[in-house]
């Protein structure tokens, strides 16, 4: 596995643990299947929001950002109008970090556009326990008060620990606690595919 793939797997592991040895079990989505899935999700977003006039897409770094960019281009093609796209870095909001110190200062405009009174779609690659999304919502609301926030994920793998659900889901993939869904996107990893891998002792 490359360093980028190891990092992707680590995001679904327990805080502070070393990345385990893993073996590939199978491919869940090919590049063309990812593309078709994103097209479907783009149309669902447009239908849900009666167009894209008030939309803003916010990708969670790292792989949520290229997802936002791709879906944003698709919505622009459908609606013939630009869609604002931003990014959110939540590394200082993760709940595995100490909260005893002061909260980090969020730079105004760091997302890339004003989210106030906008219909925000928050995008991530894999929805697992829900803790990353909770942290992302904390960070998002430090930037302003959107009119609405909906969540889009490419893969929902279950095992939720918080009452967080995605409104737009590419694919639901039931997994065991030993399995990891690994999303690869060309902008980050050099190729497009979704793999199911498993921890091995």
């Amino acid at each position: 596995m490359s360093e980028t793939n190891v990092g992707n797997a680590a995001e679904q592991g327990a805080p502070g643990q070393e990345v385990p040895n893993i073996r590939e079990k199978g491919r869940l989505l090919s590049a063309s299947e990812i593309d078709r899935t994103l097209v479907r999700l783009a149309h669902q977003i447009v239908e849900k929001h009666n167009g894209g006039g008030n939309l803003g897409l916010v990708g969670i770094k790292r792989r949520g950002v290229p997802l936002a960019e791709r879906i944003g281009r698709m919505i622009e093609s459908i609606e013939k109008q630009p869609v604002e796209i931003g990014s959110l870095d939540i590394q200082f909001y993760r709940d595995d970090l100490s909260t005893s110190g002061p909260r980090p200062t969020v730079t105004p405009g760091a997302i890339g556009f004003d989210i106030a009174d906008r219909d925000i779609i928050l995008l991530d690659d894999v929805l697992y326990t829900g803790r990353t999304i909770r942290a992302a919502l904390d960070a998002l609301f430090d930037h302003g008060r959107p009119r609405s926030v909906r969540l889009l994920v490419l893969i929902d793998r279950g095992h939720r620990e918080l009452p967080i659900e995605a409104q737009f889901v590419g694919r639901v993939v039931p997994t065991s606690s030993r399995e990891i869904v690994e999303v690869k996107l060309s902008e980050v990893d050099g190729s497009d595919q979704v793999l199911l891998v498993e921890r091995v002792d």
Side-chain angles (χ1 to χ4, degrees):
M1 292 182 64
S2 68
E3 285 295 322
T4 53
N5 299 336
V6 169
N8 191 212
E11 291 167 10
Q12 298 173 62
Q17 288 185 348
E18 292 185 5
V19 178
N21 292 323
I22 61 175
R23 66 179 179 90
E24 184 177 325
K25 295 188 69 176
R27 187 167 68 174
L28 300 174
L29 293 174
S30 65
S32 61
E33 288 170 328
I34 290 174
D35 189 58
R36 288 197 297 272
T37 299
L38 296 184
V39 169
R40 170 173 59 82
L41 292 171
H43 279 90
Q44 288 177 355
I45 290 171
V46 170
E47 181 178 1
K48 178 69 175 179
H49 293 87
N50 297 315
N54 196 48
L55 275 179
L57 306 184
V58 178
I60 299 174
K61 294 181 178 179
R62 298 174 61 199
R63 292 167 186 82
V65 175
L67 290 177
E69 292 169 346
R70 294 188 196 186
I71 289 179
R73 288 193 295 269
M74 293 172 183
I75 293 174
E76 288 179 9
S77 177
I78 296 166
E79 290 297 298
K80 310 303 180 188
Q81 61 181 357
V83 177
E84 298 220 67
I85 300 167
S87 63
L88 191 60
D89 189 344
I90 63 163
Q91 61 180 328
F92 297 112
Y93 290 81
R94 298 296 289 267
D95 59 352
D96 54 349
L97 298 179
S98 171
T99 57
S100 59
R103 288 173 58 85
T105 300
V106 179
T107 303
I111 285 179
F113 64 92
D114 185 3
I115 66 169
D117 205 33
R118 303 290 293 275
D119 293 313
I120 299 298
I121 308 295
L122 192 62
L123 299 94
D124 203 5
D125 56 349
V126 178
L127 178 56
Y128 184 32
T129 64
R131 294 184 181 278
T132 296
I133 302 305
R134 192 209 69 179
L137 289 170
D138 287 346
L140 184 71
F141 276 84
D142 277 349
H143 285 79
R145 297 290 171 179
R147 185 168 74 178
S148 67
V149 181
R150 292 183 173 91
L151 175 63
L152 180 151
V153 296
L154 185 60
I155 304 291
D156 183 346
R157 59 161 295 191
H159 301 278
R160 212 78 75 244
E161 295 176 1
L162 296 172
I164 289 174
E165 298 297 330
Q167 288 70 49
F168 305 101
V169 180
R171 180 173 293 188
V172 176
V173 180
T175 60
S176 74
S177 59
R178 293 182 62 85
E179 292 174 327
I180 298 169
V181 175
E182 190 169 276
V183 174
K184 296 183 180 181
L185 299 176
S186 58
E187 297 91 335
V188 177
D189 308 292
S191 65
D192 278 8
Q193 60 179 328
V194 180
L195 302 174
L196 182 64
V197 300
E198 185 177 43
R199 296 180 176 88
V200 293
D201 297 327

